């Protein structure tokens, strides 16, 4: 692989150096912030050798590379040195939702520090193994030294977060690290310990300072650096030019340091405690629930690049309670399930290329890095994805029921199973191994049974030379086809577009299935098939239908419109009601939905696309209710 050439192709196809605001990378993907994503040649990038996939989510343009991402990143940084500096400024504020901005911020802060956290977690896991097998004594100097080496990244986590937060919030990183040092200074730590033991209080010029320890904390330093990003420009503005060199940093660190100790730090500590208490409450109510959900749906979060939003919760749980019982166990079940599903494809496929890719990607997935398996195999063939979700969900359920505890983190996979050793017992480790085994066995068997090699040139569709592109006459293929067809007509008036044009990876990446979308010009939705209403939702934003032949269809009116909780929507049918083509299904106030900031584009998805040899669409044309829209071919 010519990484230098690949780096050049990536730069060229994201719109060139001038279109790049910033670039970071995680374990498997490049994460660009682009000035104009519409300039990027996404289709070209997806078909480029060395690139597994492209996702746009959370304000980031993400290119999935795999384990070689570090090498590609270095070649890009060599070609554009400014990307590797701390002063990369964004020239334009992207038009993002609040949720996207929050996820993008969390990702940008935590992605750069993951190597340090992973190294610390793995070191502590190895140390646990050495103690369990009596290779070292936990009273020895060997143990003590390895222990503080493994604990260092967690104890000084505020300083690591200070640096990455400063880059994200565009403020001075060295002042931010100094701020982390203030919160962790041994003298302040001693004062807090003394007050905790003997009582009393801490104050600065009469201003009360909360006696809170900030070692291993997450939220206080992030909020403090965010506050500093507002204070520093003010200090710059009011500082006289002649003395700005020292007056600006002096004013910044004094104001932010005092406010952090007196207000922001205690507030962040309180938020951490609330999150921890909420997790404990949820565990008491249904300890199996969250690991099951995470085990099931983590592949979809990874596909959309939003899984890093879970990382701070898992870290906060471990640093607040000493262990995590919800995030890391669930992600362990999901990751090994993904690896096992891909491995099953490698065992069953008769295609040498697929066999090699699936086997190597599956092995990587079992060890905790799932993007090669997800993008190279599971999303590509669909049935391995469903198998991974099934295995991950059941494995997560087991670990939730047995309340498995993770003590040191790391990339969830077989290599980090020792991170479940703690509290002087092997019970959590044993149950984590059992849960992982459950995920692997179920995902592997299910994937092996369901997977079929993709059709080749010997497929009857190819032999009969049937048209599989958008025909010019507005129809979807020949009427004299010898194979079984299910025709779906348009349920709305508007313009039909490809799913790839939707700004939501769940639909554009065809994670839920193949189909088409309509930009509606009228809010009336009618039945596009003869069949049965099989799914209604409290939010009324979507409806599921099943044809008499078994095709399953989802009509999703708008993007993220579940947040409207049904406002602006009205169902015209009931669950299990029989419908015919043209029968009213629901109505929506398109102006209201748009006024709330939501995209009204309506995906129409064949959710069991894997059961069909091909899904033909009629896109980029104006449609009326009843016009032929989709043909599903078996």
């Amino acid at each position: 692989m010519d990484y230098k050439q690949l780096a050049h192709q990536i730069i060229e196809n994201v719109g060139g150096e001038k279109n790049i605001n910033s670039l970071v990378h995680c374990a498997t993907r490049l994460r660009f912030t682009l000035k104009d994503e519409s300039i990027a040649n996404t289709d070209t990038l997806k078909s480029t050798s060395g690139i597994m996939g492209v996702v746009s989510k959370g304000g980031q343009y993400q290119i999935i590379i795999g384990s070689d991402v570090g090498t590609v990143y270095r070649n890009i940084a060599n070609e554009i040195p400014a990307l590797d500096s701390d002063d990369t400024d964004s020239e334009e504020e992207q038009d993002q939702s609040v949720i996207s901005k929050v996820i993008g911020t969390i990702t940008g802060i935590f992605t750069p520090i993951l190597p340090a956290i992973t190294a610390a977690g793995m070191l502590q896991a190895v140390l646990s193994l050495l103690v369990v097998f009596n290779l070292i004594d936990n009273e020895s100097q060997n143990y003590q030294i390895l222990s503080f080496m493994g604990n260092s990244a967690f104890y000084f986590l505020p300083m690591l977060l200070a640096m990455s937060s400063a880059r994200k919030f565009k403020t001075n990183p060295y002042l931010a690290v100094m701020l982390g040092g203030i919160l962790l200074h041994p003298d302040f730590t001693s004062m807090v310990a003394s007050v905790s033991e003997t009582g009393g209080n801490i104050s600065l010029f009469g201003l009360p300072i909360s006696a809170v320890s900030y070692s291993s904390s997450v939220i206080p330093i992030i909020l403090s650096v965010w506050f500093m990003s507002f204070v520093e420009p003010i200090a710059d503005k009011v500082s006289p030019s002649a003395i700005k060199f020292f007056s600006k940093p002096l004013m910044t660190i004094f104001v932010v340091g005092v406010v952090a100790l007196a207000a922001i730090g205690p507030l962040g500590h309180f938020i951490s405690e609330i999150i921890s208490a909420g997790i404990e409450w949820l565990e008491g109510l249904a300890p199996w629930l969250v690991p099951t959900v995470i085990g099931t749906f983590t592949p979809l979060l990874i596909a959309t690049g939003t899984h890093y939003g879970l990382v701070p919760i898992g870290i906060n749980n471990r640093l607040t309670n000493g262990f995590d019982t919800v995030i890391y166990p669930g992600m362990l079940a999901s990751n090994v399930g993904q690896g096992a599903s891909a491995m099953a494809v490698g065992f069953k496929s008769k295609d040498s290329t697929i066999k090699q890719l699936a086997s190597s990607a599956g092995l990587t997935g079992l060890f905790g890095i799932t993007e090669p398996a997800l993008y190279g195999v599971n999303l590509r063939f669909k049935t391995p994805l469903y198998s991974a979700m099934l295995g991950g969900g059941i494995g997560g359920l087991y670990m939730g029921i047995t309340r498995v505890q993770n003590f040191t983190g790391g990339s969830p996979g077989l290599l980090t199973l020792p991170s479940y050793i703690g509290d002087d017992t092997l019970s959590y480790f044993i149950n984590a191994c059992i849960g992982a085994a459950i995920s692997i066995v179920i995902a592997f068997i299910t994937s092996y049974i369901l997977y079929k090699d993709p059709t080749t040139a010997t497929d009857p569709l190819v032999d009969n030379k049937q048209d599989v592109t958008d025909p010019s006459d507005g129809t979807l293929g020949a009427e004299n086809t010898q194979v079984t067809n299910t025709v779906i007509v348009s349920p709305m008036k508007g313009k039909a577009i490809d799913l790839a044009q939707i700004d939501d990876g769940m639909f554009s990446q065809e994670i839920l299935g193949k189909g088409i979308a309509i930009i509606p010009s009228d809010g009336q939705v009618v039945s596009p098939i003869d069949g049965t209403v099989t799914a209604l939702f409290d939010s009324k934003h979507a409806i599921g239908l099943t044809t008499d032949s078994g095709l399953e269809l989802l009509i999703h009116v708008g993007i993220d419109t579940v947040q409207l909780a049904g406002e602006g929507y009205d169902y015209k049918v009931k669950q299990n009601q029989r419908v015919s083509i043209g029968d009213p299904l629901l109505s929506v106030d398109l102006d209201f939905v748009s006024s709330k900031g939501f995209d009204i584009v309506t995906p129409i998805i064949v959710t069991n696309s894997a059961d069909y040899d091909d899904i033909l669409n009629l896109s980029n044309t104006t449609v009326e209710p009843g016009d032929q829209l989709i043909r599903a071919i078996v």
Side-chain angles (χ1 to χ4, degrees):
M1 173 67 69
D2 186 343
Y3 294 108
K4 186 175 181 179
Q5 177 62 25
L6 177 59
H8 180 76
Q9 289 178 291
I10 290 173
I11 294 171
E12 185 178 275
N13 285 291
V14 297
E17 178 180 351
K18 293 183 179 180
N19 195 41
I20 303 173
N21 278 331
S22 63
L23 170 64
V24 296
H25 75 88
C26 56
T28 55
R29 62 182 79 188
L30 299 168
R31 295 171 174 268
F32 288 91
T33 302
L34 302 180
K35 297 174 184 176
D36 184 359
E37 289 191 4
S38 65
I39 296 176
N41 297 318
T42 302
D43 291 338
T44 301
L45 287 168
K46 287 182 177 179
S47 61
T48 300
S49 177
I51 295 176
M52 295 183 176
V54 179
V55 177
S56 177
K57 195 68 176 177
Q60 291 185 331
Y61 191 80
Q62 305 168 22
I63 299 178
I64 297 90
I65 302 295
S67 57
D68 294 327
V69 65
T71 305
V72 178
Y73 174 83
R74 284 192 294 274
N75 279 275
I76 294 176
N78 289 337
E79 193 164 336
I80 311 176
L83 290 177
D84 208 28
S85 67
D86 289 340
D87 55 0
T88 304
D89 290 322
S90 174
E91 296 179 7
E92 297 179 6
E93 180 68 24
Q94 297 212 5
D95 183 17
Q96 304 172 21
S97 68
V98 174
I99 294 177
S100 293
K101 289 180 180 179
V102 170
I103 292 175
T105 299
I106 292 173
T107 302
I109 290 173
F110 279 89
T111 298
I113 71 168
L114 286 179
I117 294 176
T118 300
M122 289 299 296
L123 190 54
Q124 290 187 345
V126 170
L127 183 59
S128 298
L129 278 178
L130 293 175
V131 173
V132 167
F133 290 103
N134 296 316
L135 297 177
I136 65 172
D137 184 82
N138 58 10
E139 299 294 333
S140 67
Q141 284 191 347
N142 291 333
Y143 175 87
Q144 293 173 14
I145 292 173
L146 290 176
S147 179
F148 75 66
M149 287 175 62
N151 188 52
S152 61
F154 296 111
Y155 183 88
F156 293 104
L157 186 60
M159 300 185 76
L160 297 176
L161 289 171
M163 177 64 77
S164 60
S165 297
R167 295 191 64 174
K168 189 63 182 177
F169 296 132
K170 309 302 179 186
T171 191
N172 190 297
Y174 303 102
L175 289 179
V177 172
M178 180 181 176
L179 183 59
I182 291 173
L183 298 180
L184 296 176
H185 197 281
D187 289 349
F188 177 65
T189 303
S190 298
M191 295 171 70
V192 171
S194 177
V195 168
S196 299
E197 291 177 5
T198 63
N201 56 71
I202 305 174
S203 65
L204 176 65
F205 302 124
L207 183 67
I209 304 295
S210 296
V212 176
S213 176
Y214 297 106
S215 63
S216 304
S217 62
V218 174
I219 299 176
I221 188 63
I222 295 176
L223 293 179
S224 297
V225 175
W226 177 68
F227 176 65
M228 190 172 78
S229 69
F230 294 97
V231 174
E232 188 178 21
I234 297 174
D236 179 75
K237 185 176 181 180
V238 302
S239 294
S241 299
I243 60 171
K244 182 176 292 188
F245 176 76
F246 62 83
S247 64
K248 173 185 172 181
L250 172 62
M251 284 189 284
T252 300
I253 204 64
F254 179 79
V255 172
V256 178
V258 172
V259 174
L261 289 171
I264 297 178
L267 174 62
H269 179 75
F270 176 74
I271 294 174
S272 298
E273 294 290 336
I274 289 296
I275 293 174
S276 177
I279 295 295
E280 289 183 5
W281 174 83
L282 191 58
E283 280 191 298
L285 182 66
W288 52 268
L289 178 60
V290 179
T292 303
V293 172
I294 292 175
T296 303
F297 294 105
T298 289
L300 305 186
L301 296 177
I302 294 174
T304 56
T306 57
H307 58 299
Y308 282 117
L310 298 176
V311 172
I313 300 175
I315 293 175
N316 184 76
N317 290 343
R318 285 202 315 275
L319 300 181
T320 303
N321 301 323
F323 56 83
D324 170 47
T325 57
V326 291
I327 304 301
Y328 279 82
M331 294 185 82
L332 168 65
S334 174
N335 287 359
V336 297
Q338 284 233 60
S341 288
M343 289 288 286
V345 173
F347 273 89
K348 187 175 182 180
S349 178
K350 294 180 174 58
D351 185 304
S352 59
T353 302
I354 295 176
K355 183 181 289 290
Q356 181 179 0
L357 170 64
S359 298
S360 61
L363 185 62
T364 305
L366 290 173
F367 291 153
I369 304 299
T370 60
E371 274 89 344
L374 178 65
Y375 289 98
V377 181
N378 298 348
L379 279 174
R380 178 180 172 187
F381 301 119
K382 298 299 187 296
T383 53
L385 174 65
Y386 307 146
S387 303
M389 293 174 68
L390 176 64
I394 297 176
L397 173 63
Y398 175 84
M399 285 190 270
I401 292 174
T402 56
R403 308 195 78 164
V404 167
Q405 297 180 4
N406 176 277
F407 296 93
T408 60
S411 182
L414 297 182
L415 290 179
T416 56
L417 282 173
S419 65
Y420 295 85
I421 299 174
D423 281 355
D424 299 323
T425 176
L426 287 176
S427 62
Y428 304 122
F429 171 74
I430 293 171
N431 282 321
C433 291
I434 294 173
I438 290 172
S439 296
I440 290 170
V441 171
I442 292 177
F444 184 92
I445 292 175
T446 308
S447 180
Y448 191 88
I449 293 172
L450 296 179
Y451 173 76
K452 297 178 182 178
D453 273 331
T455 54
T456 64
T458 59
D459 187 275
L461 291 178
V462 179
D463 287 342
N464 292 338
K465 298 182 180 180
Q466 293 187 27
D467 189 2
V468 295
T469 59
D470 290 346
S472 58
D473 64 354
T475 62
L476 295 174
E479 291 297 330
N480 61 351
T481 176
Q482 300 300 309
V483 293
T484 303
N485 291 305
T486 299
V487 176
I488 302 164
V489 301
S490 176
M492 305 179 75
K493 179 180 180 180
K495 181 181 179 181
I497 63 172
D498 291 330
L499 291 178
Q501 295 177 249
I502 300 178
D503 187 22
D504 188 302
M506 194 72 66
F507 298 110
S508 63
Q509 298 293 323
E510 298 183 345
I511 294 172
L512 294 179
K514 296 181 179 181
I516 200 168
I518 294 178
I519 302 175
S521 57
D522 183 83
Q524 302 303 313
V525 182
V526 299
S527 179
I529 53 96
D530 293 331
T532 306
V533 177
T534 49
L536 298 177
F537 304 85
D538 292 339
S539 54
K540 303 179 182 179
H541 71 296
I543 188 168
L545 305 172
T546 301
T547 67
D548 295 335
S549 62
L551 181 142
E552 298 169 2
L553 194 69
L554 174 69
I555 304 174
H556 194 287
V557 187
I559 304 300
D560 291 332
T561 45
V562 64
Q563 299 179 47
L564 292 174
E567 193 173 1
Y569 291 84
D570 182 35
Y571 276 139
K572 306 297 183 182
V573 291
K574 297 180 180 180
Q575 183 76 15
N576 299 321
Q577 180 177 327
R578 176 78 185 174
V579 292
S580 300
I581 292 177
D583 288 349
L585 296 178
L586 66 88
S587 62
V588 54
D589 186 339
L590 298 177
D591 292 335
F592 171 79
V593 174
S594 297
S595 70
K596 294 296 183 179
F598 294 95
D599 190 344
I600 59 174
V601 65
T602 301
I604 302 163
I605 307 297
V606 179
T607 55
N608 59 338
S609 299
D611 296 340
Y612 294 84
D613 290 330
D614 211 345
I615 305 293
L616 307 182
N617 296 332
L618 180 65
S619 60
N620 298 315
T621 186
T622 301
V623 293
E624 297 280 345
D627 287 351
Q628 194 176 104
L629 194 66
I630 298 173
R631 185 186 295 274
I633 301 176
V634 178

